Structure formats: C-alpha cells, structure tokens
Short mmCIF file of all heavy atoms in Angstrom, two decimals:
data_model
loop_
_atom_site.label_atom_id
_atom_site.label_comp_id
_atom_site.label_asym_id
_atom_site.label_seq_id
_atom_site.Cartn_x
_atom_site.Cartn_y
_atom_site.Cartn_z
N CYS A 1030 -9.88 0.11 8.16
CA CYS A 1030 -9.06 1.18 8.75
C CYS A 1030 -9.88 2.46 8.95
O CYS A 1030 -9.73 3.15 9.96
CB CYS A 1030 -7.86 1.46 7.85
SG CYS A 1030 -6.61 0.17 7.84
N PHE A 1031 -10.74 2.75 7.99
CA PHE A 1031 -11.57 3.95 8.10
C PHE A 1031 -12.49 3.88 9.31
O PHE A 1031 -12.64 4.86 10.05
CB PHE A 1031 -12.38 4.13 6.81
CG PHE A 1031 -13.22 5.37 6.80
CD1 PHE A 1031 -12.69 6.57 6.39
CD2 PHE A 1031 -14.56 5.33 7.17
CE1 PHE A 1031 -13.46 7.72 6.37
CE2 PHE A 1031 -15.34 6.47 7.16
CZ PHE A 1031 -14.78 7.67 6.75
N LEU A 1032 -13.11 2.71 9.53
CA LEU A 1032 -14.01 2.56 10.67
C LEU A 1032 -13.26 2.66 11.99
O LEU A 1032 -13.77 3.26 12.95
CB LEU A 1032 -14.75 1.22 10.56
CG LEU A 1032 -15.71 1.07 9.37
CD1 LEU A 1032 -16.36 -0.30 9.38
CD2 LEU A 1032 -16.77 2.17 9.37
N VAL A 1033 -12.07 2.09 12.05
CA VAL A 1033 -11.26 2.21 13.27
C VAL A 1033 -10.89 3.67 13.52
O VAL A 1033 -10.92 4.15 14.66
CB VAL A 1033 -10.01 1.33 13.17
CG1 VAL A 1033 -9.05 1.60 14.34
CG2 VAL A 1033 -10.39 -0.14 13.16
N ALA A 1034 -10.51 4.39 12.45
CA ALA A 1034 -10.19 5.80 12.60
C ALA A 1034 -11.38 6.60 13.11
O ALA A 1034 -11.24 7.48 13.98
CB ALA A 1034 -9.72 6.37 11.26
N LEU A 1035 -12.57 6.27 12.59
CA LEU A 1035 -13.79 6.95 13.02
C LEU A 1035 -14.05 6.70 14.50
O LEU A 1035 -14.31 7.64 15.28
CB LEU A 1035 -14.98 6.46 12.19
CG LEU A 1035 -16.36 7.00 12.55
CD1 LEU A 1035 -16.46 8.48 12.22
CD2 LEU A 1035 -17.46 6.23 11.82
N ALA A 1036 -13.99 5.44 14.93
CA ALA A 1036 -14.26 5.10 16.33
C ALA A 1036 -13.21 5.70 17.25
O ALA A 1036 -13.54 6.24 18.33
CB ALA A 1036 -14.30 3.59 16.50
N ALA A 1037 -11.94 5.65 16.86
CA ALA A 1037 -10.88 6.22 17.70
C ALA A 1037 -11.01 7.73 17.82
O ALA A 1037 -10.71 8.31 18.88
CB ALA A 1037 -9.52 5.85 17.13
N PHE A 1038 -11.47 8.38 16.76
CA PHE A 1038 -11.68 9.84 16.83
C PHE A 1038 -12.74 10.18 17.87
O PHE A 1038 -12.55 11.09 18.69
CB PHE A 1038 -12.10 10.37 15.46
CG PHE A 1038 -12.54 11.81 15.49
CD1 PHE A 1038 -11.62 12.84 15.61
CD2 PHE A 1038 -13.89 12.13 15.44
CE1 PHE A 1038 -12.03 14.16 15.65
CE2 PHE A 1038 -14.31 13.45 15.48
CZ PHE A 1038 -13.37 14.46 15.59
N PHE A 1039 -13.85 9.44 17.87
CA PHE A 1039 -14.89 9.72 18.85
C PHE A 1039 -14.42 9.39 20.27
O PHE A 1039 -14.81 10.06 21.22
CB PHE A 1039 -16.16 8.94 18.51
CG PHE A 1039 -17.04 9.65 17.52
CD1 PHE A 1039 -16.83 9.50 16.16
CD2 PHE A 1039 -18.06 10.49 17.94
CE1 PHE A 1039 -17.63 10.16 15.23
CE2 PHE A 1039 -18.86 11.15 17.04
CZ PHE A 1039 -18.65 10.99 15.67
N SER A 1040 -13.57 8.37 20.41
CA SER A 1040 -13.02 8.06 21.73
C SER A 1040 -12.10 9.16 22.24
O SER A 1040 -11.86 9.27 23.44
CB SER A 1040 -12.24 6.74 21.68
OG SER A 1040 -13.07 5.67 21.33
N SER A 1041 -11.59 9.99 21.33
CA SER A 1041 -10.67 11.06 21.72
C SER A 1041 -11.38 12.30 22.24
O SER A 1041 -10.74 13.16 22.85
CB SER A 1041 -9.81 11.46 20.51
OG SER A 1041 -9.17 10.34 19.94
N ILE A 1042 -12.68 12.39 22.01
CA ILE A 1042 -13.38 13.65 22.31
C ILE A 1042 -13.36 13.96 23.79
O ILE A 1042 -13.05 15.08 24.21
CB ILE A 1042 -14.81 13.59 21.74
CG1 ILE A 1042 -14.77 13.60 20.21
CG2 ILE A 1042 -15.63 14.77 22.26
CD1 ILE A 1042 -16.12 13.48 19.56
N ASP A 1043 -13.71 12.97 24.62
CA ASP A 1043 -13.74 13.24 26.06
C ASP A 1043 -12.36 13.55 26.63
O ASP A 1043 -12.17 14.58 27.28
CB ASP A 1043 -14.37 12.05 26.81
CG ASP A 1043 -15.86 12.25 27.01
OD1 ASP A 1043 -16.42 13.19 26.43
OD2 ASP A 1043 -16.47 11.45 27.75
N PRO A 1044 -11.36 12.68 26.43
CA PRO A 1044 -10.06 12.97 27.05
C PRO A 1044 -9.34 14.18 26.47
O PRO A 1044 -8.62 14.88 27.20
CB PRO A 1044 -9.26 11.68 26.82
CG PRO A 1044 -9.93 10.98 25.71
CD PRO A 1044 -11.37 11.35 25.78
N ALA A 1045 -9.53 14.46 25.18
CA ALA A 1045 -8.76 15.53 24.56
C ALA A 1045 -9.50 16.86 24.50
O ALA A 1045 -8.88 17.92 24.53
CB ALA A 1045 -8.35 15.11 23.14
N ILE A 1046 -10.83 16.82 24.41
CA ILE A 1046 -11.60 18.07 24.23
C ILE A 1046 -12.43 18.41 25.46
O ILE A 1046 -12.45 19.56 25.91
CB ILE A 1046 -12.52 17.94 22.99
CG1 ILE A 1046 -11.67 17.74 21.72
CG2 ILE A 1046 -13.39 19.19 22.84
CD1 ILE A 1046 -12.49 17.53 20.46
N GLN A 1047 -13.12 17.42 26.02
CA GLN A 1047 -14.03 17.70 27.13
C GLN A 1047 -13.31 17.82 28.48
O GLN A 1047 -13.65 18.70 29.27
CB GLN A 1047 -15.09 16.59 27.22
CG GLN A 1047 -15.94 16.44 25.97
CD GLN A 1047 -17.01 17.50 25.86
OE1 GLN A 1047 -16.73 18.69 25.88
NE2 GLN A 1047 -18.26 17.07 25.76
N SER A 1048 -12.35 16.95 28.74
CA SER A 1048 -11.72 16.97 30.07
C SER A 1048 -11.02 18.28 30.40
O SER A 1048 -10.99 18.67 31.58
CB SER A 1048 -10.74 15.80 30.21
OG SER A 1048 -9.69 15.89 29.28
N PRO A 1049 -10.43 19.02 29.44
CA PRO A 1049 -9.88 20.33 29.81
C PRO A 1049 -10.91 21.32 30.36
O PRO A 1049 -10.53 22.31 31.00
CB PRO A 1049 -9.28 20.84 28.49
CG PRO A 1049 -8.95 19.60 27.72
CD PRO A 1049 -10.06 18.66 28.05
N GLN A 1050 -12.20 21.04 30.13
CA GLN A 1050 -13.24 21.93 30.66
C GLN A 1050 -13.67 21.57 32.08
O GLN A 1050 -14.54 22.23 32.64
CB GLN A 1050 -14.46 21.89 29.74
CG GLN A 1050 -14.16 22.28 28.30
CD GLN A 1050 -15.39 22.22 27.42
OE1 GLN A 1050 -16.45 22.72 27.78
NE2 GLN A 1050 -15.27 21.60 26.26
N ASP A 1051 -13.07 20.51 32.65
CA ASP A 1051 -13.47 20.09 33.99
C ASP A 1051 -13.29 21.19 35.02
O ASP A 1051 -14.08 21.30 35.97
CB ASP A 1051 -12.65 18.86 34.41
CG ASP A 1051 -13.09 17.60 33.68
OD1 ASP A 1051 -14.20 17.60 33.13
OD2 ASP A 1051 -12.32 16.63 33.66
N GLN A 1052 -12.27 22.00 34.85
CA GLN A 1052 -12.02 23.04 35.84
C GLN A 1052 -13.17 24.03 35.92
O GLN A 1052 -13.44 24.60 36.98
CB GLN A 1052 -10.71 23.78 35.51
CG GLN A 1052 -10.25 24.72 36.61
CD GLN A 1052 -8.87 25.29 36.33
OE1 GLN A 1052 -8.27 24.99 35.30
NE2 GLN A 1052 -8.36 26.12 37.22
N ARG A 1053 -13.87 24.23 34.79
CA ARG A 1053 -15.00 25.15 34.77
C ARG A 1053 -16.32 24.47 35.12
O ARG A 1053 -17.21 25.09 35.68
CB ARG A 1053 -15.15 25.79 33.39
CG ARG A 1053 -13.99 26.66 32.98
CD ARG A 1053 -14.40 27.61 31.87
NE ARG A 1053 -15.22 26.96 30.86
CZ ARG A 1053 -14.75 26.37 29.77
NH1 ARG A 1053 -13.44 26.35 29.56
NH2 ARG A 1053 -15.56 25.82 28.90
N GLU A 1054 -16.47 23.19 34.75
CA GLU A 1054 -17.76 22.53 34.85
C GLU A 1054 -17.89 21.57 36.03
O GLU A 1054 -19.01 21.25 36.43
CB GLU A 1054 -18.04 21.76 33.55
CG GLU A 1054 -18.00 22.60 32.29
CD GLU A 1054 -19.16 23.58 32.22
OE1 GLU A 1054 -20.13 23.42 32.99
OE2 GLU A 1054 -19.10 24.51 31.39
N SER A 1055 -16.78 21.08 36.56
CA SER A 1055 -16.83 20.08 37.62
C SER A 1055 -16.79 20.75 38.99
O SER A 1055 -16.17 21.81 39.17
CB SER A 1055 -15.65 19.11 37.49
OG SER A 1055 -15.57 18.26 38.62
N LEU A 1056 -17.44 20.09 39.96
CA LEU A 1056 -17.45 20.58 41.34
C LEU A 1056 -16.44 19.84 42.22
O LEU A 1056 -16.44 20.01 43.44
CB LEU A 1056 -18.85 20.43 41.94
CG LEU A 1056 -19.95 21.27 41.29
CD1 LEU A 1056 -21.31 20.90 41.86
CD2 LEU A 1056 -19.68 22.75 41.48
N ARG A 1057 -15.58 19.04 41.61
CA ARG A 1057 -14.61 18.27 42.39
C ARG A 1057 -13.69 19.18 43.20
O ARG A 1057 -13.38 18.91 44.37
CB ARG A 1057 -13.79 17.37 41.47
CG ARG A 1057 -12.81 16.48 42.23
CD ARG A 1057 -12.05 15.59 41.27
NE ARG A 1057 -12.93 14.65 40.60
CZ ARG A 1057 -13.30 13.49 41.13
NH1 ARG A 1057 -12.88 13.15 42.35
NH2 ARG A 1057 -14.09 12.68 40.47
N GLN A 1058 -13.21 20.26 42.59
CA GLN A 1058 -12.29 21.17 43.28
C GLN A 1058 -12.93 21.73 44.55
O GLN A 1058 -12.28 21.82 45.60
CB GLN A 1058 -11.89 22.32 42.34
CG GLN A 1058 -10.98 23.36 42.99
CD GLN A 1058 -10.74 24.55 42.07
OE1 GLN A 1058 -11.13 24.52 40.90
NE2 GLN A 1058 -10.10 25.57 42.59
N LEU A 1059 -14.21 22.07 44.47
CA LEU A 1059 -14.90 22.62 45.62
C LEU A 1059 -14.95 21.61 46.77
O LEU A 1059 -14.65 21.93 47.92
CB LEU A 1059 -16.32 23.03 45.21
CG LEU A 1059 -17.21 23.71 46.24
CD1 LEU A 1059 -18.14 24.68 45.55
CD2 LEU A 1059 -18.05 22.68 47.01
N PHE A 1060 -15.28 20.37 46.47
CA PHE A 1060 -15.42 19.38 47.53
C PHE A 1060 -14.09 18.82 47.99
O PHE A 1060 -13.99 18.30 49.11
CB PHE A 1060 -16.37 18.27 47.08
CG PHE A 1060 -17.80 18.71 47.08
CD1 PHE A 1060 -18.44 19.09 45.91
CD2 PHE A 1060 -18.51 18.79 48.26
CE1 PHE A 1060 -19.75 19.51 45.92
CE2 PHE A 1060 -19.83 19.22 48.29
CZ PHE A 1060 -20.45 19.58 47.11
N GLN A 1061 -13.05 18.93 47.17
CA GLN A 1061 -11.72 18.60 47.67
C GLN A 1061 -11.30 19.59 48.75
O GLN A 1061 -10.66 19.21 49.74
CB GLN A 1061 -10.72 18.61 46.51
CG GLN A 1061 -10.80 17.39 45.63
CD GLN A 1061 -9.82 17.44 44.47
OE1 GLN A 1061 -9.34 18.51 44.09
NE2 GLN A 1061 -9.54 16.28 43.89
N SER A 1062 -11.70 20.85 48.57
CA SER A 1062 -11.45 21.85 49.62
C SER A 1062 -12.19 21.48 50.90
O SER A 1062 -11.65 21.60 52.01
CB SER A 1062 -11.87 23.23 49.13
OG SER A 1062 -11.82 24.19 50.17
N CYS A 1063 -13.43 20.99 50.75
CA CYS A 1063 -14.20 20.59 51.93
C CYS A 1063 -13.58 19.38 52.62
O CYS A 1063 -13.55 19.30 53.85
CB CYS A 1063 -15.64 20.28 51.52
SG CYS A 1063 -16.58 21.71 50.92
N LEU A 1064 -13.08 18.43 51.82
CA LEU A 1064 -12.45 17.25 52.41
C LEU A 1064 -11.23 17.62 53.24
O LEU A 1064 -10.98 17.05 54.31
CB LEU A 1064 -12.05 16.26 51.31
CG LEU A 1064 -13.19 15.44 50.69
CD1 LEU A 1064 -12.70 14.68 49.48
CD2 LEU A 1064 -13.76 14.48 51.73
N LYS A 1065 -10.45 18.59 52.77
CA LYS A 1065 -9.29 19.05 53.54
C LYS A 1065 -9.74 19.67 54.86
O LYS A 1065 -9.13 19.44 55.91
CB LYS A 1065 -8.49 20.06 52.72
CG LYS A 1065 -7.82 19.48 51.49
CD LYS A 1065 -7.10 20.56 50.70
CE LYS A 1065 -6.46 19.98 49.43
NZ LYS A 1065 -5.81 21.04 48.61
N GLY A 1066 -10.81 20.46 54.79
CA GLY A 1066 -11.33 21.07 56.02
C GLY A 1066 -11.88 20.04 56.98
O GLY A 1066 -11.66 20.13 58.20
N MET A 1067 -12.58 19.04 56.46
CA MET A 1067 -13.13 17.99 57.32
C MET A 1067 -12.02 17.19 58.00
O MET A 1067 -12.18 16.75 59.14
CB MET A 1067 -14.02 17.06 56.48
CG MET A 1067 -15.31 17.73 55.99
SD MET A 1067 -16.18 16.76 54.72
CE MET A 1067 -16.64 15.32 55.66
N ALA A 1068 -10.91 17.02 57.30
CA ALA A 1068 -9.78 16.32 57.92
C ALA A 1068 -9.21 17.08 59.11
O ALA A 1068 -8.59 16.50 60.00
CB ALA A 1068 -8.69 16.08 56.87
N GLN A 1069 -9.45 18.40 59.14
CA GLN A 1069 -8.97 19.23 60.24
C GLN A 1069 -10.07 19.51 61.26
O GLN A 1069 -9.91 20.38 62.13
CB GLN A 1069 -8.44 20.56 59.69
CG GLN A 1069 -7.27 20.38 58.73
CD GLN A 1069 -6.87 21.68 58.05
OE1 GLN A 1069 -7.42 22.74 58.33
NE2 GLN A 1069 -5.91 21.60 57.14
N GLY A 1070 -11.19 18.80 61.17
CA GLY A 1070 -12.26 18.93 62.14
C GLY A 1070 -13.30 19.99 61.81
O GLY A 1070 -14.19 20.25 62.64
N GLU A 1071 -13.24 20.59 60.64
CA GLU A 1071 -14.24 21.60 60.26
C GLU A 1071 -15.52 20.92 59.79
O GLU A 1071 -15.49 19.80 59.26
CB GLU A 1071 -13.68 22.50 59.17
CG GLU A 1071 -12.46 23.30 59.63
CD GLU A 1071 -11.81 24.10 58.50
OE1 GLU A 1071 -11.95 23.70 57.34
OE2 GLU A 1071 -11.17 25.11 58.80
N GLN A 1072 -16.66 21.61 59.98
CA GLN A 1072 -17.96 21.05 59.64
C GLN A 1072 -18.48 21.69 58.35
O GLN A 1072 -18.40 22.91 58.18
CB GLN A 1072 -18.96 21.32 60.77
CG GLN A 1072 -18.49 20.85 62.14
CD GLN A 1072 -19.41 21.35 63.23
OE1 GLN A 1072 -20.60 21.01 63.28
NE2 GLN A 1072 -18.87 22.16 64.14
N VAL A 1073 -19.04 20.85 57.46
CA VAL A 1073 -19.54 21.32 56.17
C VAL A 1073 -21.06 21.43 56.23
O VAL A 1073 -21.75 20.51 56.68
CB VAL A 1073 -19.12 20.36 55.03
CG1 VAL A 1073 -19.67 20.84 53.69
CG2 VAL A 1073 -17.61 20.24 54.97
N TYR A 1074 -21.58 22.56 55.75
CA TYR A 1074 -23.02 22.81 55.69
C TYR A 1074 -23.37 23.37 54.32
O TYR A 1074 -22.54 23.98 53.63
CB TYR A 1074 -23.46 23.81 56.77
CG TYR A 1074 -23.60 23.20 58.15
CD1 TYR A 1074 -22.46 22.93 58.91
CD2 TYR A 1074 -24.84 22.90 58.68
CE1 TYR A 1074 -22.57 22.36 60.18
CE2 TYR A 1074 -24.96 22.33 59.94
CZ TYR A 1074 -23.83 22.07 60.68
OH TYR A 1074 -23.95 21.49 61.93
N LEU A 1075 -24.64 23.16 53.92
CA LEU A 1075 -25.17 23.71 52.68
C LEU A 1075 -26.17 24.81 52.99
O LEU A 1075 -26.90 24.73 53.98
CB LEU A 1075 -25.87 22.62 51.86
CG LEU A 1075 -25.04 21.40 51.45
CD1 LEU A 1075 -25.93 20.39 50.73
CD2 LEU A 1075 -23.88 21.78 50.57
N TYR A 1076 -26.20 25.82 52.12
CA TYR A 1076 -27.15 26.91 52.28
C TYR A 1076 -27.98 27.03 51.01
O TYR A 1076 -27.46 27.28 49.93
CB TYR A 1076 -26.42 28.23 52.57
CG TYR A 1076 -27.34 29.42 52.71
CD1 TYR A 1076 -28.22 29.54 53.79
CD2 TYR A 1076 -27.34 30.44 51.75
CE1 TYR A 1076 -29.06 30.63 53.92
CE2 TYR A 1076 -28.17 31.54 51.88
CZ TYR A 1076 -29.04 31.63 52.96
OH TYR A 1076 -29.87 32.71 53.09
#
C-alpha cells in the first residue's frame, strides 16, 4: 500500500500541480488565436 501511495502521489504532480501553470508557460493560447485568424484567411508570420 505504501508503494502504491508513493507512485500515485508522483502521478498527481503533473495534473494537480503542473497543469495549472500551463496558462503562464504554454504557447497553446497564442497559436489558438492564430488558428482562428487563419480560418478567416489571415496570414501568420514570425519576426
């Protein structure tokens, strides 16, 4: 039981602790905005 508790605790780190930081660390939101623009015929460029 102790080993299962240990493994399950580590499995909890990403979904419970790390994923709330996605809004600050992930670029998905930025490119979702680009995908919406591309659907309307806008062109995406990098600088």
Side-chain angles (χ1 to χ4, degrees):
C1030 289
F1031 182 85
L1032 295 180
V1033 172
L1035 177 69
F1038 171 75
F1039 275 86
S1040 297
S1041 307
I1042 292 177
D1043 267 10
I1046 298 177
Q1047 300 283 56
S1048 63
Q1050 302 179 47
D1051 287 342
Q1052 190 173 1
R1053 296 200 317 269
E1054 303 291 346
S1055 172
L1056 296 173
R1057 183 179 295 276
Q1058 177 186 352
L1059 183 148
F1060 285 100
Q1061 284 178 340
S1062 172
C1063 294
L1064 284 171
K1065 293 177 182 177
M1067 292 168 65
Q1069 299 172 3
E1071 297 174 334
Q1072 306 171 63
V1073 179
Y1074 281 76
L1075 302 176
Y1076 178 68

